[in-house]
């Protein structure tokens, strides 16, 4: 196991070189084939999902709004005030990792994370925030990092689905929000809306009878959470991927304006990969000067479903071995370095990444 860990460390170090090289190749390729009249500094490289796949997207219900049992716990739920899981500490020891993990700055981090939520599940989240931290809805911002078009229909969570949830890859948050708004308006115009169920593989259950809703109430997530008295921010990020450079700049701008007493509830689809990445980013933003990257990564793993340093070893999930997930792990280390070098002042992440030749964005030739 220790040898596996050392190989993982070497792979991550090699990944930094690989990502840099891939970024350089991507920039050169886009510069040769695209005009600066259509793309500007900091734009995503391009739309990588085949148009045919995007056109074949279907609506499916992710989570059904059911009555919750008394012992209910939301999928991948955690709060920054949670105690460290001793079983996960034991796993870190087996991997040869530090088990004396610092909590410096964590008890005032004011973050919560988990899966996307139905109407009843969101009431559960608000109840937990009040019971455990004394936080009212007007002091909570929902940070929605799903890149997929999604919303609520009669309190059920639904999405516009294609394989791997890549339907909006290559679009900015503003573009995703605009597309999503248009799609939901089309649904609202229908008297009866039919959607597929979700199967055990998180895909649309196309062989099963569809769910049918007559004259349903359809809301964007922003509309729903604001009705509950919370605030909302969207940072659209594709499933399995790191956030685009422009999205990172948006995250930093948001954090700079965040009131000191505000709590964040962060979620993607399942509350695992993207959610953990943004929880690590938030911890870095607030605590880069008092905690090491290893401490931040470790403690988010000790309260949550994954440790970003050891995902391939500890989860057994194939998607954590994909290039996109490796790039995300490398990005988080680079983001920590960026924080230490800039103190989040002056140079933006996009500019810093370009200067360090690690950007995944498009830059026109100059």
């Amino acid at each position: 196991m220790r040898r596996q860990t050392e190989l993982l460390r070497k792979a991550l170090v090699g990944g930094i070189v690989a990502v840099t090289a891939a970024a350089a190749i991507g920039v050169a390729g886009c510069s040769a084939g695209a005009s600066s009249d259509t793309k500007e500094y900091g734009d995503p490289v391009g739309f990588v999902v085949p148009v045919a796949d995007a056109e074949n997207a279907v609506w499916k219900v992710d989570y059904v709004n059911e009555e919750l049992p008394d012992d209910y716990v939301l999928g991948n739920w955690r709060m920054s005030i949670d105690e460290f899981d001793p079983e996960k500490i034991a796993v870190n020891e087996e991997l040869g990792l530090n088990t004396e993990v610092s909590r410096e700055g964590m008890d005032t981090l004011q973050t919560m994370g988990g899966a996307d939520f139905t109407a009843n599940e969101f009431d559960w989240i608000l109840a937990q925030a009040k019971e455990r931290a004394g936080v009212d809805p007007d002091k909570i911002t929902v940070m929605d990092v799903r890149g997929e078009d999604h919303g609520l229909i009669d309190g059920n969570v639904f999405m516009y689905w294609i394989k791997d949830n890549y339907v909006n890859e290559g679009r900015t948050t503003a573009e995703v929000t605009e597309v999503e708004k248009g799609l939901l308006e089309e649904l609202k115009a229908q008297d009866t809306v039919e959607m597929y169920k979700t199967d055990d593989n998180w895909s649309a259950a196309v062989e099963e009878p569809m769910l049918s809703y007559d004259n349903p109430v359809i809301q964007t997530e922003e509309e729903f959470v604001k009705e509950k008295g919370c605030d909302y921010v969207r940072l659209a990020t594709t499933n399995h991927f790191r956030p685009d450079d422009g999205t990172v700049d948006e995250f930093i701008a948001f954090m700079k304006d965040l009131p000191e007493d505000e709590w964040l509830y962060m979620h993607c689809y399942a509350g695992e990969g993207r959610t953990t990445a943004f929880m690590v980013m938030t911890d870095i933003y607030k605590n880069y000067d008092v905690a090491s990257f290893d401490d931040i990564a470790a403690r988010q793993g000790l309260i949550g479903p994954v440790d970003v340093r050891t995902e391939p070893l500890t989860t057994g999930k194939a998607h954590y071995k994909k290039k996109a997930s490796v790039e995300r792990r490398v990005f988080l280390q680079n983001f920590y370095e960026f924080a230490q070098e800039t103190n989040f002042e002056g140079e933006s992440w996009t500019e810093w990444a370009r200067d360090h030749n690690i950007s995944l964005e498009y830059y026109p030739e100059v």
Side-chain angles (χ1 to χ4, degrees), residues 13 46 49 52 167 192-193 215 266 268 311 313 329:
V13 171
V49 176
V167 68
T192 299
V193 175
N215 300 309
M266 307 178 196
C268 49
E311 293 160 328
L313 289 178
R329 290 192 289 276

Side-chain angles (χ1 to χ4, degrees), residues 12-255:
L12 288 175
V13 171
I16 295 175
V17 177
V19 170
T20 301
I25 293 169
V27 170
C30 285
S31 296
S35 167
S36 59
D37 292 337
T38 58
K39 281 187 174 291
E40 296 182 354
Y41 167 70
D43 283 347
V45 169
F47 196 81
V48 301
V49 176
V51 174
D53 287 355
E55 290 178 346
N56 290 329
V58 297
W59 293 111
K60 78 176 182 74
V61 173
D62 297 330
Y63 301 114
V64 176
N65 189 35
E66 300 174 324
E67 185 176 347
L68 306 180
D70 292 340
D71 61 349
Y72 179 79
V73 178
L74 183 72
N76 291 320
W77 168 255
R78 67 273 205 189
M79 297 180 74
S80 54
I81 56 176
D82 288 349
E83 296 298 322
F84 293 157
D85 186 335
E87 292 184 4
K88 292 180 179 179
I89 292 176
V91 170
N92 282 352
E93 186 172 15
E94 290 179 10
L95 291 172
L97 301 175
N98 179 30
T99 58
E100 299 296 324
V101 179
S102 170
R103 289 196 68 101
E104 186 73 27
M106 195 177 183
D107 292 329
T108 56
L109 187 53
Q110 299 171 180
T111 57
M112 304 175 282
D116 202 349
F117 45 80
T118 65
N120 288 343
E121 287 171 331
F122 193 65
D123 286 340
W124 183 90
I125 291 169
L126 297 182
Q128 290 293 309
K130 182 64 175 179
E131 178 183 335
R132 297 195 55 204
V135 182
D136 293 320
D138 63 348
K139 295 297 182 184
I140 297 173
T141 294
V142 174
M143 181 180 288
D144 176 1
V145 303
R146 292 190 74 169
E148 313 91 73
D149 308 301
H150 65 286
L152 291 98
I153 181 168
D154 288 345
N156 306 282
V157 183
F158 69 91
M159 70 173 292
Y160 204 42
W161 178 84
I162 63 171
K163 186 178 184 296
D164 293 321
N165 305 333
Y166 291 170
V167 68
N168 283 323
E169 166 57 16
R171 287 181 173 144
T172 65
T173 295
E175 290 169 340
V176 170
T177 302
E178 188 65 22
V179 169
E180 180 180 277
K181 179 181 177 182
L183 289 169
L184 267 59
E185 288 300 321
E186 291 178 6
L187 290 178
K188 290 177 182 179
Q190 301 176 27
D191 293 331
T192 299
V193 175
E194 292 187 328
M195 296 186 176
Y196 289 105
K197 300 175 184 177
T198 295
D199 65 21
D200 293 338
N201 295 315
W202 301 83
S203 302
V206 295
E207 302 298 327
E208 296 185 27
M210 299 179 76
L211 298 169
S212 182
Y213 302 91
D214 293 327
N215 300 309
V217 176
I218 295 175
Q219 297 172 287
T220 65
E221 184 175 312
E222 180 174 11
E223 291 169 336
F224 173 76
V225 301
K226 286 187 172 179
E227 274 190 2
K228 294 289 186 176
C230 300
D231 210 341
Y232 174 89
V233 63
R234 183 75 172 270
L235 296 168
T237 303
T238 302
N239 191 31
H240 303 147
F241 283 74
R242 51 148 285 190
D244 291 330
D245 291 348
T247 306
V248 179
D249 288 338
E250 292 171 4
F251 167 81
I252 294 169
F254 167 79
M255 293 300 297

